[in-house]
Amino acid sequence: MASGTVPASFTGLKTRDSNLGFGKSMDFVRVCDLKRIKSGRRKISMIRNSNPGPKMVELQPSSEGSPLLVPRQKYCESVHKTVRRKTRTVMVGNVALGSDHPIRVQTMTTNDTKDVAGTVEEVMRIADKGADLVRITVQGKREADACFEIKNSLVQKNYNIPLVADIHFAPAVALRVAECFDKIRVNPGNFADRRAQFEKLEYTDEDYQKEIEHIEKVFTPLVEKCKKYGRAMRIGTNHGSLSDRIMSYYGDSPRGMVESAFEFARICRKLDFHNFVFSMKASNPVIMVQAYRLLVAEMYVQGWDYPLHLGVTEAGEGEDGRMKSAIGIGTVLQDGLGDTIRVSLTEPPEKEIDPCRRLANLGMRASAVQQGVAPFEEKHRHYFDFQRRSGQLPVQKEGEEVDYRGVLHRDGSVLMSVSLDQLKAPELLYKSLAAKLVVGMPFKDLATVDSILLRELPPVEDNDARLALKRLIDISMGVITPLSEQLTKPLPNAMVLVNFKELSTGAHKLLPEGTRLVVSVRGDEPYEELEILKDIDATMILHDLPFTEDKIGRVHAARRLFEFLSDNALNFPVIHHIHFPNAIHRDNLVIGAGTNAGALLVDGLGDGILLEAPDQDFDFLRNTSFNLLQGCRMRNTKTEYVSCPSCGRTLFDLQEISAEIREKTSHLPGVSIAIMGCIVNGPGEMADADFGYVGGAPGKIDLYVGKTVVKRGIAMEEATDALIQLIKDHGRWVDPSAEE
């Protein structure tokens, strides 16, 4: 191992030596020939930290063969059960945040802050819905002055809900509003730095130090004022609004997000101010999850215990927004992280409270009973960077009459449970599976279901139903049926679902030789049972843990299963099979799927999804499944939208415009469109969008390609058509089909 300079805090390891990773920090230790020691079956690198705190820190490559070294130390209390991370208590007015308190829910007003009466009414509606905190945008002196009136009016009406000021680019405004509001949110990317120009800058150590000193000079007065008035603070990094300086060192990355926040946190700590929380928000749930894990991993190294505010920014509206939020927030909650959450939806703010509360309750329940499995060693999961474990897709075997290669999709598969009743109307079934019909015959399309589970086969004499199934099998759609059904009413070329009991008794050997097997696995079985998988040629595994299990954690059981598969070089595709009870609320289903399957898919663990809910609409379940895969950055089957939730800065009716744009552009899979209410949520917050529609001035829209503005000041009534023309000019447009 080459020598190099390594920050003692691990807030960044980036030197000219390519064998060392990360980025820039102010306190360093010298590492020469990192000591290699054995730990179990792995060799690891250890360095001694000269700063106060843990003496030894374990390093490992972020991925196999990668020059980027990351701390192996924990990012949560336990990887095999949900244990809430212990934090200090931060007081926001009369509301306590931290691990000794419930997970708090919050939202943000959308009214113009200068409209005191309208904002007061909005805060009251939000409070009546059960929010614990309310954030209000404060972009200038007039808005700051209005905040005093807002606070006083609410107190007179007996509303004592804590108010949070949202600050961008305006240190003087933050100082003013700190005199009346309970908490100040600062964005480290733009509080003291200029607006990012997305330029690659070169810094000497001296230049970098001067910028840090500038930040300290600008930020210190706010910290001192918060101490004086007993205010709280959120150091809230956004993936899309990192400064040019940070991006020059770390790139547009989770690592840069963490270091950006730590620069401000070090100043707070230097001034003995500790009443603050962190957030690491991104519109991409995968980036968001990685950033929070890196943040907490570094806090463990430092011995810090600050609470976390969780959120996926610009999640969008409806089911899409709820799904993205569930994937990001739910994943982090499953690891016992998070003390307050906000679900950012392009909807009225009071509508955010219900899904927010559902997520909070999910996290609280999991940690209360410490959902999980027995301890196991985890060696293969990459939780600081995304690496997908791709199961071996089916290959055609000699002598097979049908093509099985399409029963799973390389980018992520959707399986659906089909009933006998649905077979009575074949054409309706084909449409429900999103197959294209040509003269009544089904064909697979971009978003067609890949395989179906048929728990009961039609009678052998039911020729119509069996013909319908044959036509699906002929287009390489898998038909999976239980062993007992296949033995009594055999369906040619069906795949057979078996469990460990049937495998251990040899019942599956009654099937014709060469029959494709699908194995149902809980993940918490004794290892001697799992050993059976070594002797089976399975087409896929269904990870199926009953929904009624209260104390067994689905996520943790799956992690254990994947560890076993990796340890034994078993590359079976794994489908996350989740049963939901009757009468489940739709939001609970979306949040449950996003949390339980999404938490695995964002780690690259899993090859698809099978959702079962007996009384739910079939199309809803199919769409939810595809939304889940797309939200986890796997299979892209429709246009991706990055849509801000609106606030007092928004320069147009975001909900109306968002609906208009979606109506005209929703048929463009692989295209990402950002719809932003103002420049604060403009080029930076758009993160990885292809095209952007951004409020530039009242009644005027700016259009972006990536992070570059290409057209300014377009009249709003012409802007949607101009956006479509821009997409066409870049060769990304296709005309919608007649069915759409």
Side-chain angles (χ1 to χ4, degrees):
M1 179 69 71
S3 64
T5 302
V6 183
S9 65
F10 293 100
T11 50
L13 279 151
K14 189 173 184 179
T15 71
R16 292 182 183 135
D17 185 337
S18 64
N19 287 321
L20 293 171
F22 295 11
K24 180 86 173 174
S25 183
M26 305 320 301
D27 298 317
F28 295 90
V29 294
R30 175 65 60 180
V31 178
C32 296
D33 296 323
L34 285 167
K35 185 180 178 185
R36 305 286 288 179
I37 67 174
K38 262 197 169 183
S39 173
R41 284 173 284 176
R42 293 181 297 124
K43 284 188 175 181
I44 58 176
S45 298
M46 305 290 283
I47 71 169
R48 188 169 298 281
N49 188 341
S50 62
N51 284 355
K55 290 184 178 180
M56 301 289 281
V57 177
E58 180 185 338
L59 296 180
Q60 67 171 18
S62 65
S63 58
E64 188 173 350
S66 171
L68 178 67
L69 295 178
V70 296
R72 177 68 190 181
Q73 84 282 352
K74 64 182 183 181
Y75 74 89
C76 63
E77 288 297 312
S78 171
V79 296
H80 68 267
K81 62 181 178 180
T82 302
V83 180
R84 194 166 177 194
R85 169 180 165 262
K86 184 70 175 174
T87 75
R88 69 175 60 229
T89 292
V90 166
M91 293 303 301
V92 185
N94 59 356
V95 172
L97 299 183
S99 58
D100 291 335
H101 311 282
I103 296 173
R104 307 297 187 181
V105 302
Q106 56 179 286
T107 185
M108 187 172 184
T109 60
T110 59
N111 201 66
D112 184 341
T113 307
K114 298 188 298 295
D115 176 6
V116 173
T119 302
V120 167
E121 287 297 320
E122 193 171 27
V123 171
M124 290 167 60
R125 289 198 305 273
I126 291 168
D128 290 343
K129 285 290 186 179
D132 299 303
L133 307 166
V134 180
R135 180 156 45 114
I136 298 174
T137 188
V138 189
Q139 61 266 51
K141 184 178 181 302
R142 288 187 296 167
E143 287 82 5
D145 291 341
C147 288
F148 286 82
E149 297 180 56
I150 291 168
K151 181 72 172 180
N152 290 336
S153 181
L154 287 166
V155 170
Q156 291 170 11
K157 297 175 183 292
N158 293 318
Y159 280 82
N160 294 310
I161 186 169
L163 302 179
V164 183
D166 192 60
I167 303 293
H168 295 265
F169 307 110
V173 172
L175 284 171
R176 171 71 170 149
V177 78
E179 296 176 9
C180 67
F181 273 17
D182 303 283
K183 181 180 176 186
I184 309 296
R185 180 272 171 126
V186 297
N187 183 342
N190 59 35
F191 185 82
D193 286 294
R194 64 174 184 160
R195 189 188 307 278
Q197 304 300 308
F198 308 103
E199 299 172 344
K200 180 73 175 178
L201 305 177
E202 294 295 332
Y203 284 91
T204 65
D205 287 346
E206 183 180 356
D207 292 335
Y208 196 97
Q209 181 61 29
K210 284 181 179 178
E211 295 235 359
I212 297 297
E213 290 170 358
H214 169 69
I215 291 172
E216 185 168 352
K217 181 179 178 181
V218 173
F219 186 49
T220 292
L222 178 61
V223 176
E224 297 286 11
K225 180 156 276 191
C226 286
K227 285 181 65 177
K228 176 181 176 181
Y229 285 91
R231 306 306 186 201
M233 186 183 294
R234 169 160 67 96
I235 301 174
T237 305
N238 277 11
H239 174 227
S241 57
L242 299 174
S243 67
D244 286 330
R245 173 176 46 79
I246 286 290
M247 287 192 286
S248 294
Y249 269 92
Y250 309 95
D252 192 5
S253 67
R255 172 58 49 186
M257 295 170 67
V258 174
E259 177 60 19
S260 182
F262 266 46
E263 289 178 348
F264 279 67
R266 293 188 198 105
I267 296 169
C268 290
R269 289 177 57 82
K270 180 178 178 180
L271 297 170
D272 197 28
F273 176 70
H274 301 281
N275 201 45
F276 66 89
V277 305
F278 284 113
S279 67
M280 298 278 124
K281 294 193 178 184
S283 59
N284 180 337
V286 177
I287 296 292
M288 174 265 196
V289 169
Q290 292 171 7
Y292 276 104
R293 288 172 174 171
L294 281 168
L295 172 73
V296 176
E298 298 216 8
M299 282 204 280
Y300 276 124
V301 170
Q302 295 284 357
W304 294 1
D305 61 354
Y306 301 105
L308 299 178
H309 167 123
L310 306 183
V312 175
T313 191
E314 282 84 46
E317 63 186 10
E319 188 193 320
D320 284 358
R322 286 158 176 79
M323 178 60 80
K324 277 189 189 178
S325 294
I327 294 167
I329 297 172
T331 296
V332 180
L333 289 174
Q334 288 277 1
D335 281 322
L337 307 178
D339 305 286
T340 178
I341 61 178
R342 189 240 173 142
V343 173
S344 299
L345 302 176
T346 310
E347 298 177 21
E350 57 269 27
K351 289 193 174 182
E352 294 183 353
I353 302 305
D354 180 67
C356 200
R357 180 67 66 190
R358 293 177 192 275
L359 268 169
N361 289 342
L362 183 150
M364 292 293 290
R365 282 196 305 271
S367 61
V369 300
Q370 296 195 352
Q371 281 182 348
V373 294
F376 63 93
E377 184 183 6
E378 189 173 53
K379 307 180 295 297
H380 300 283
R381 182 166 64 100
H382 298 274
Y383 41 77
F384 287 134
D385 69 333
F386 179 80
Q387 279 199 34
R388 186 176 168 200
R389 172 206 176 270
S390 294
Q392 176 62 54
L393 293 174
V395 294
Q396 200 66 10
K397 298 177 182 178
E398 187 177 351
E400 289 184 324
E401 299 175 355
V402 298
D403 187 353
Y404 287 99
R405 290 172 295 180
V407 302
L408 294 175
H409 193 284
R410 68 179 186 277
D411 296 328
S413 304
V414 170
L415 282 68
M416 295 288 293
S417 179
V418 169
S419 69
L420 279 180
D421 282 344
Q422 288 174 280
L423 287 173
K424 294 176 181 177
E427 286 199 15
L428 287 179
L429 172 62
Y430 302 153
K431 289 180 179 178
S432 294
L433 296 171
K436 291 287 186 182
L437 289 180
V438 179
V439 200
M441 299 291 287
F443 293 89
K444 277 193 170 181
D445 198 18
L446 183 71
T448 303
V449 170
D450 300 290
S451 291
I452 62 172
L453 171 62
L454 198 62
R455 293 192 176 277
E456 185 179 356
L457 287 174
V460 175
E461 63 273 12
D462 189 341
N463 294 326
D464 290 341
R466 289 187 165 244
L467 177 60
L469 291 172
K470 181 182 183 301
R471 285 176 173 167
L472 293 176
I473 292 172
D474 286 344
I475 62 169
S476 199
M477 183 177 292
V479 175
I480 304 169
T481 193
L483 175 62
S484 59
E485 287 292 298
Q486 184 67 2
L487 289 175
T488 55
K489 296 176 284 185
L491 177 71
N493 303 307
M495 297 187 290
V496 179
L497 181 64
V498 294
N499 56 38
F500 277 141
K501 183 178 179 181
E502 291 164 335
L503 290 174
S504 63
T505 60
H508 65 293
K509 295 179 181 178
L510 298 173
L511 294 166
E513 185 177 352
T515 299
R516 295 270 183 166
L517 296 181
V518 176
V519 185
S520 180
V521 182
R522 287 173 53 101
D524 65 338
E525 294 93 344
Y527 284 115
E528 53 267 27
E529 283 191 33
L530 292 175
E531 292 283 330
I532 298 173
L533 293 173
K534 295 181 181 180
D535 302 319
I536 296 296
D537 181 16
T539 300
M540 69 184 86
I541 288 175
L542 300 187
H543 175 242
D544 184 4
L545 190 72
F547 196 83
T548 52
E549 293 280 6
D550 288 329
K551 293 192 176 181
I552 305 297
R554 166 177 288 277
V555 170
H556 307 95
R559 287 176 181 170
R560 179 177 179 270
L561 171 62
F562 282 109
E563 281 298 317
F564 175 84
L565 295 176
S566 295
D567 279 343
N568 293 280
L570 299 174
N571 203 24
F572 303 129
V574 178
I575 304 299
H576 298 297
H577 185 188
I578 306 179
H579 302 260
F580 292 99
N582 287 327
I584 187 171
H585 191 283
R586 279 195 171 191
D587 278 0
N588 280 342
L589 188 150
V590 171
I591 289 169
T595 297
N596 287 291
L600 296 154
L601 296 175
V602 296
D603 279 333
L605 301 178
D607 300 274
I609 186 76
L610 168 54
L611 304 179
E612 285 196 85
D615 57 347
Q616 291 290 341
D617 179 72
F618 193 85
D619 289 348
F620 165 71
L621 290 175
R622 187 194 68 244
N623 290 334
T624 298
S625 300
F626 279 108
N627 286 345
L628 174 57
L629 294 180
Q630 183 153 332
C632 293
R633 295 305 199 261
M634 293 178 65
R635 186 171 174 180
N636 216 313
T637 52
K638 64 180 183 179
T639 312
E640 180 76 13
Y641 295 98
V642 179
S643 179
C644 81
S646 186
C647 69
R649 292 184 175 88
T650 302
L651 298 170
F652 55 83
D653 187 328
L654 196 63
Q655 294 173 49
E656 180 181 332
I657 294 298
S658 177
E660 177 184 316
I661 292 174
R662 285 170 184 264
E663 182 182 356
K664 295 183 178 181
T665 63
S666 62
H667 62 289
L668 302 172
V671 173
S672 177
I673 300 173
I675 308 167
M676 299 294 172
C678 71
I679 194 61
V680 165
N681 288 329
E685 299 305 313
M686 288 191 293
D688 51 0
D690 300 311
F691 303 96
Y693 179 110
V694 181
K700 301 292 183 181
I701 299 299
D702 298 338
L703 295 182
Y704 286 74
V705 175
K707 293 177 179 178
T708 303
V709 62
V710 294
K711 292 188 177 182
R712 293 188 185 275
I714 302 170
M716 187 171 297
E717 57 271 18
E718 302 169 4
T720 300
D721 289 338
L723 172 65
I724 292 171
Q725 187 58 51
L726 185 64
I727 297 171
K728 291 179 177 179
D729 292 344
H730 283 76
R732 305 294 297 277
W733 180 266
V734 294
D735 290 326
S737 67
E739 292 182 17
E740 294 171 323

